[in-house]
Structure formats: structure tokens, C-alpha cells
């Protein structure tokens, strides 16, 4: 049975470029993008992490480079252990990452979602297109430069857009009740109250 | 000897079968008591709508017993749930497939105003793409509220000038 210590040591021994990553729960590694698939394959075949639980990404913000990081979560049904693998995307403008669909068919939709939300292109993916937003949507909503309230765009269907004269509109929270930090009054605690206290009638403060 | 003039006397067989009314009232009476809903269920309000249609609250009591999942055979679209922009065009196309006369009920906060979803992905109220007749508040609305909204729609239909609308070129 593979244990926590075994995985960390064995992976470091096998892949010298894999660095142990700060983690509060499960063992986690930073690997170079070029080695990511090899590490994942080794974890699946040799270490018993047979199940791909999630593929997602992190946008560290416009100031930081490398900006985008893809994260895989693997699970070992024999050891009941998780392991987390993260890899930086080389390019900040056009982030790319090899697709894990050849290792796990289940990576297909996860990668499509990651592409949809972050714009990270998974090379080798059989059908990389948007999965939540519609084809032709111009933005990647989970990127840091995308405002919480959204951005105006065209409706998916041009015929319906022409008939209804409706567009995708930004929807600022206008002091909604759903986000608060402990220890502050509700109205002042909301991030939205600070940076997006604007509504349809009053303009966004610049 | 004079006999009773049976020909001009009150004939219960004739008089009893005549109801004097206006054509508008007759048409509206028919329409509002056989309004078949098209449940445009997109989220959790649709679950509540099942409760409205089921035996405890029983929407059938108001003539809406046939919940038609085909837009061709329904009169009243009940938009129950969050409508995303991706789904909005579908909702609009289904509305376009319904035969006139047709009405729309926006059931719940999401359908009425986008609800708590102030988001890049959610249509902020279905009235942006459809002509809504009745809005029902609630998240989700109680079945009583939906029944009340449906009765409001019936009262609204009873006030329509159906005959002139029928003759009006579309």
C-alpha cells in the first residue's frame, strides 16, 4: 500500500524537478509543464492514484509571472489518499498545457471547463470548446481582470438578439446580502460594497 | 273560444337554453378556464411547481390540469427557475413556438429579476426577452402564491378585448 511518505519520497526520487509544494492537507508537488503528463502517468500506474478527481487552474493575477497554474487532484482508492500536482503555464498571454485525456477520459470535461473559465488551451484535447458558456463568448470569466459583475456581450443567438434587442449586461451587486467578512458590519464588510458599490442608477466610482 | 296561444308563450325549452352575454366574455371565460401551462422549468422553482400541480394544491382546480411539455399545445408559459443567457435564447424560441393567445408567468425571484444571481451568466429577469403577464415573488414561491398568481392571470385574461384582438391584423 502506498502511503503519504512513500509518495513524496518516491516521486522526488523519480522526478528530480518535482518540488514539494506547501499544502495544508494532502501531499502536493510543483512540476514543470513538460513533465506533468509523465508525473501523472507515473502516479496512476506506479503509485496507485488511479482516479482523476479534478482538473482546475489558478490565476495568480496580472502582476505575477508565470500567471496561470493548472492543478490536478488524484485519488488512490487503495490507500484512500489524495495527491495534488500543479504546473505553471509557460506563456501568460496564451497559456498552454498538455491534455491528460489520454490518461483519463474523464479529464475531457474538466479541461473544457478550465479552458472555458481561464482560457488555458490543453494541447492534444480531442474537442476543446466551451462547456458552460456558449460558443463565441468573448471572455474567460474566472480570470482576474474579469470584473465580478461581468462585461457586456452579445446574446448567443443573433436572431433572438435581433428580435428582443437584448444583450448580455453587466450585473453589479448593488450591495447584495451574500458576501461578508466576520468582525465587520455587513454593509461595510462586503468586498462588493468597497469596490463595486454601484448600480444601474449610480455610476461606478473611478 | 279563445285558446292559449302556445306559439308565442314562454317556451322553457328555448328560453332555458339561452344565455345572453358578450362575445368577449364568452371567449375569455373559455380561455381562462382551460389555460394549459407550459412548465419552463430551469431550476428549483420547477420542483415547487410540481407541488403546485400535484394533488395537495392541485392546479387542475383552475382549469390548468394539462401540463403540456409541448409549446404547441400550451397557453401559458410558467418560467420557473434561473434563466442563464445560454438558456435565454432557448426560452425565447420555445415561447415563439407557442400558438397565440399565450401568456407568461415569471415564477420566483430568478425568473422575475435574476434573483440572487447577479452574475455574468444569468439573465437579469425573463421580462427582458419575454412579455411577462404575472410576476410571482418568492425563492421559491409557496404553492399558494403560484395559485394566487395564476388566478391573477385569469382575472387579467377576463379583462382582455379578445374579439377585437382576434380581428386585428397581426
Amino acid at each position: 500500500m502506498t502511503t503519504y511518505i512513500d509518495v513524496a519520497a518516491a516521486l522526488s526520487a523519480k522526478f528530480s524537478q518535482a518540488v514539494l509544494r506547501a499544502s495544508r492537507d494532502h501531499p502536493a508537488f510543483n512540476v514543470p509543464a513538460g513533465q506533468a503528463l509523465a508525473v501523472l502517468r507515473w502516479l496512476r500506474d506506479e503509485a496507485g492514484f488511479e482516479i482523476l478527481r479534478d482538473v482546475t487552474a489558478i490565476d495568480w493575477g496580472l502582476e505575477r509571472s508565470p500567471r496561470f497554474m493548472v492543478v490536478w487532484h488524484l485519488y488512490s482508492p487503495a490507500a484512500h489518499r489524495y495527491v495534488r500536482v500543479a504546473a505553471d503555464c509557460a506563456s501568460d498571454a496564451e497559456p498552454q498545457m498538455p491534455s491528460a485525456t489520454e490518461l483519463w477520459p474523464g479529464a475531457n470535461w474538466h479541461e473544457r471547463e478550465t479552458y472555458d473559465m481561464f482560457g488555458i488551451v490543453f494541447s492534444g484535447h480531442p474537442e476543446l470548446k466551451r462547456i458552460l458558456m456558449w460558443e463565441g463568448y468573448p471572455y474567460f470569466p474566472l480570470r482576474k481582470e474579469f470584473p465580478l459583475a461581468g462585461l457586456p456581450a452579445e446574446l448567443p443567438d443573433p436572431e433572438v438578439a435581433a428580435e428582443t434587442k437584448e444583450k448580455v449586461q453587466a450585473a453589479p451587486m448593488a450591495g447584495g446580502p451574500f458576501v461578508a467578512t466576520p468582525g465587520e458590519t455587513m454593509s461595510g464588510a462586503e468586498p462588493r460594497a468597497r469596490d463595486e458599490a454601484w448600480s444601474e442608477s449610480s455610476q461606478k466610482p473611478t | 273560444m279563445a285558446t292559449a296561444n302556445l306559439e308565442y308563450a314562454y317556451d322553457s325549452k328555448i328560453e332555458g337554453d339561452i344565455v345572453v352575454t358578450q362575445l368577449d366574455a364568452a371567449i375569455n371565460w373559455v380561455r381562462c378556464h382551460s389555460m394549459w401551462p407550459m412548465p419552463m422549468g430551469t431550476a428549483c422553482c420547477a420542483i415547487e411547481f410540481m407541488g403546485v400541480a400535484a394533488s395537495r394544491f392541485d392546479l387542475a382546480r383552475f382549469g390548468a390540469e394539462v401540463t403540456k411539455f409541448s409549446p404547441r399545445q400550451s397557453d401559458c408559459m410558467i418560467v420557473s427557475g434561473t434563466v442563464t443567457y445560454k438558456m435565454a435564447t432557448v426560452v425565447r424560441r420555445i415561447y415563439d413556438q407557442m400558438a397565440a393567445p399565450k401568456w407568461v408567468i415569471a415564477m420566483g425571484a430568478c425568473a422575475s429579476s435574476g434573483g440572487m444571481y447577479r452574475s455574468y451568466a444569468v439573465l437579469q429577469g425573463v421580462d427582458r426577452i419575454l412579455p411577462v403577464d404575472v410576476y410571482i415573488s418568492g425563492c421559491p414561491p409557496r404553492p399558494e402564491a403560484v395559485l394566487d398568481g395564476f388566478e391573477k392571470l385569469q382575472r387579467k385574461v377576463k379583462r382582455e378585448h379578445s374579439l377585437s384582438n382576434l380581428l386585428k391584423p397581426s
Side-chain angles (χ1 to χ4, degrees), chain A residues 154-167, chain B residues 89 92:
Chain A
E154 296 298 319
L155 276 191
D157 189 329
E159 281 181 24
V160 171
E163 179 74 20
T164 60
K165 299 181 179 57
E166 178 61 21
K167 286 173 185 283
Chain B
T89 57
R92 173 69 200 198

Side-chain angles (χ1 to χ4, degrees), chain A residues 119-156:
Chain A
I120 293 170
V121 175
F122 288 88
S123 49
H125 191 284
E127 193 189 18
L128 192 69
K129 58 177 189 179
R130 287 184 181 272
I131 190 168
L132 296 173
M133 306 305 283
W134 56 94
E135 287 293 303
Y137 185 70
Y139 306 110
F140 299 111
L142 288 192
R143 286 192 174 184
K144 291 292 184 200
E145 77 264 20
F146 189 86
L148 205 59
L151 287 171
E154 296 298 319
L155 276 191

